Amino acid sequence: MELKPKIYDYIIAGTGAAGLSLLCHILSNDNLKDKSILLIDRDLKDKNDRTWCFWDTGESPFESCLKHTWKKLSFHSPDCSRLLDIKPYAYKMLDSLSFYNYCFNLIKDKTNISFIQDEIRHVDQEKGLVAGLKDSYQAAYIFNSILFKNINQLPGKHYLLQHFKGIFIQTEVPVFNAEEATLMDFRIPQHNDCRFVYVLPVNNTEALIEYTGFSSEALSQECYDRELQAYIQEYLNISKYKITHEEFGIIPMTDAAFDKGSKKLINIGTAGGATKASTGYTFSFIQKQCAKIADNLAAGVHPLAKSSKRLDKYRFYDSIFLRVLSEKKIPAVSVFSAMFSKLPAEVILSFLDEESSLLDDIRLMYTLDKAVFMSAALRNFF
Ligand SMILES: Cc1cc2nc3c(=O)[nH]c(=O)nc-3n(C[C@H](O)[C@H](O)[C@H](O)COP(=O)(O)OP(=O)(O)OC[C@H]3O[C@@H](n4cnc5c(N)ncnc54)[C@H](O)[C@@H]3O)c2cc1C
């Protein structure tokens, strides 16, 4: 007699930031915590492969595994240097291994939730079927965070990359102030591009220093290393340090239309359009996306019903910003400088978080080069 394959309530295909965040949102809901869930990833998620930073005003679900939190952020450019009090926000750092461990720990005694390590080849949205190398798996809903298509094969207008290399450095003597982080330092050579450095101290001898560019192509590893070394010497005045951890990343910045999903397949995370096109920030948008999906599941409606369709005005703003960055009619540094020198941090952060009021949008637009942005807006519109 042939055994019928098990049909799960949910399959979470890809257990990175979005897959595991969704799991946490599901587990924290009494109506959902007993659902049968299969987690699938090709990776065991046992490495610290990225550091997430995000800002929020309250307690995140992952408060217990945060590495550090800052209430003050500085911004530097050749024209201005400002230390910003970011109240009511806090800027938070989470390392991915703590996050993976925390999430897998939540399910270690749960018999209704299992994990399979498999390479997923294909997802059939009609049948609700995930085809892996080892087996095929079926569920009422599949939550997928795997990008099966190259981003630049999606229909969009602009494609840039946010590319970066970060190094955790440790010094012998105390040099950092762990109360303050540098969100963007544009004093470095711009190479007719958009380049800046983050400095995120976690105590007085350790910090993550990240060299970042927004452009159409990433740089060579030697180039990131050279620029990081120069920055550490010139701007931090540090000559003796050891590198304790490194990370490299490329985040797509595009106004391409991501497929949010259909009847049985729901795309989440970057694959579901959670990456903000103009900044690359994704983590907090993933939390909003997953919270909404869990609420819908608990209410017994389709996961994307009444979905918090990210507001079209922000899609429009992001697209204009990508055009301005791509066309390089004004240096990117002058756009950020104008914003950070004239506005309170709260206005900038709420705008970037897509939570701003229309009045704040207008205040922010007032800081920009009107001719360049209006021309980009008109050309985007038509
Ligand atoms: C180094 C780095 C640092 C970042 N820092 C920040 C930050 O500070 N703040 C922020 O907001 N955003 C940041 N991002 C952007 C974004 O938050 C992350 O990329 C985030 O991990 C996206 O979540 P996700 O679930 O969509 O993708 P992922 O976390 O990449 O998860 C996808 C999962 O799918 C699995 N997978 C892929 N293909 C297959 C397959 N064929 N079969 C089975 N499994 C598969 C992968 O192993 C992975 O576990 C960063 C990105 C990188 C790369």
Side-chain angles (χ1 to χ4, degrees):
M1 195 178 73
E2 203 181 313
L3 279 179
K4 272 197 174 170
K6 175 167 177 158
I7 301 183
Y8 295 88
D9 289 316
Y10 314 139
I11 288 177
I12 296 184
T15 57
L20 292 179
S21 295
L22 179 62
L23 176 73
C24 291
H25 286 278
I26 288 175
L27 289 177
S28 63
N29 192 309
D30 280 345
N31 293 337
L32 304 174
K33 62 181 183 355
D34 296 325
K35 297 286 181 187
S36 61
I37 305 176
L38 176 65
L39 308 169
I40 312 174
D41 204 291
R42 63 177 170 207
D43 204 65
L44 287 177
K45 309 310 288 179
D46 55 359
K47 285 175 207 72
N48 191 17
D49 54 8
R50 58 199 64 182
T51 308
W52 290 298
C53 289
F54 57 97
W55 56 89
D56 64 19
T57 52
E59 299 253 306
S60 78
F62 315 109
E63 214 68 8
S64 65
C65 41
L66 291 179
K67 194 171 171 102
H68 202 70
T69 297
W70 299 270
K71 300 232 166 80
K72 287 187 179 145
L73 295 178
S74 61
F75 172 88
H76 302 284
S77 74
D79 305 329
C80 86
S81 273
R82 273 190 81 192
L83 180 62
L84 305 149
D85 183 338
I86 62 168
K87 250 196 305 214
Y89 291 100
Y91 195 65
K92 301 178 174 180
M93 179 197 268
L94 179 62
D95 73 57
S96 57
L97 186 59
S98 309
F99 169 82
Y100 303 144
N101 287 341
Y102 169 82
C103 298
F104 281 110
N105 220 13
L106 291 178
I107 57 167
K108 71 175 190 313
D109 299 323
K110 297 218 174 268
T111 50
N112 56 320
I113 304 178
S114 46
F115 173 86
I116 288 183
Q117 187 178 15
D118 199 354
E119 173 82 29
I120 298 171
R121 310 306 296 267
H122 171 69
V123 176
D124 185 325
Q125 45 183 316
E126 293 305 316
K127 295 186 187 142
L129 189 118
V130 175
L133 267 188
K134 293 183 186 159
D135 209 341
S136 291
Y137 317 92
Q138 225 174 332
Y141 289 124
I142 298 165
F143 298 99
N144 168 59
S145 56
I146 300 166
L147 260 172
F148 288 102
K149 262 192 195 161
N150 256 342
I151 292 268
N152 57 11
Q153 290 169 335
L154 299 169
K157 297 187 193 103
H158 305 101
Y159 302 96
L160 285 178
L161 304 175
Q162 179 181 152
H163 50 92
F164 49 90
K165 176 160 183 178
I167 52 176
F168 268 96
I169 66 166
Q170 191 164 35
T171 58
E172 280 169 14
V173 289
V175 284
F176 298 113
N177 175 359
E179 304 289 304
E180 295 168 12
T182 300
L183 185 66
M184 292 176 136
D185 190 340
F186 276 101
R187 290 172 296 177
I188 56 172
Q190 293 293 297
H191 304 282
N192 189 31
D193 229 335
C194 173
R195 311 245 182 125
F196 57 92
V197 174
Y198 294 94
V199 183
L200 306 170
V202 293
N203 58 47
N204 59 13
T205 56
E206 266 183 291
L208 170 63
I209 326 275
E210 207 151 275
Y211 182 84
T212 305
F214 292 174
S215 52
S216 52
E217 279 177 33
L219 309 172
S220 67
Q221 289 298 313
E222 296 76 52
C223 185
Y224 296 104
D225 291 340
R226 201 173 47 241
E227 300 282 354
L228 279 166
Q229 204 180 3
Y231 181 84
I232 292 168
Q233 272 181 0
E234 197 173 328
Y235 292 97
L236 302 179
N237 280 318
I238 300 173
S239 48
K240 265 185 146 179
Y241 60 90
K242 74 170 183 215
I243 298 174
T244 53
H245 183 74
E246 291 190 358
E247 69 177 37
F248 173 72
I250 295 183
I251 306 176
M253 299 171 74
T254 176
D255 49 9
F258 283 78
D259 179 10
K260 300 274 160 31
S262 56
K263 219 165 124 203
K264 293 191 165 187
L265 172 72
I266 293 89
N267 290 323
I268 57 174
T270 296
T275 297
K276 184 162 175 68
S278 57
T279 63
Y281 278 105
T282 313
F283 195 81
S284 45
F285 292 104
I286 285 178
Q287 302 318 314
K288 291 180 195 170
Q289 185 185 51
C290 293
K292 187 74 206 168
I293 289 175
D295 284 350
N296 280 338
L297 288 171
V301 296
H302 187 269
L304 295 177
K306 298 179 265 145
S307 127
S308 60
K309 193 167 158 254
R310 284 171 62 193
L311 289 175
D312 284 341
K313 73 168 182 180
Y314 294 107
R315 303 288 69 70
F316 188 57
Y317 299 157
D318 284 345
S319 185
I320 296 169
F321 184 71
L322 285 182
R323 183 185 280 273
V324 171
L325 271 187
S326 310
E327 292 180 347
K328 299 185 177 178
K329 288 204 173 125
I330 41 169
V333 50
S334 63
V335 179
F336 288 100
S337 243
M339 246 169 22
F340 279 93
S341 63
K342 292 180 187 149
L343 292 173
E346 185 185 348
V347 172
I348 303 170
L349 296 182
S350 69
F351 179 79
L352 297 180
D353 237 4
E354 305 189 351
E355 304 276 358
S356 52
S357 64
L358 189 59
L359 187 66
D360 283 342
D361 295 357
I362 294 168
R363 282 176 79 187
L364 196 129
M365 281 169 209
Y366 212 73
T367 67
L368 304 175
D369 183 318
K370 292 179 201 50
V372 171
F373 275 83
M374 279 304 287
S375 148
L378 285 172
R379 279 175 298 131
N380 256 19
F381 207 67
F382 297 108

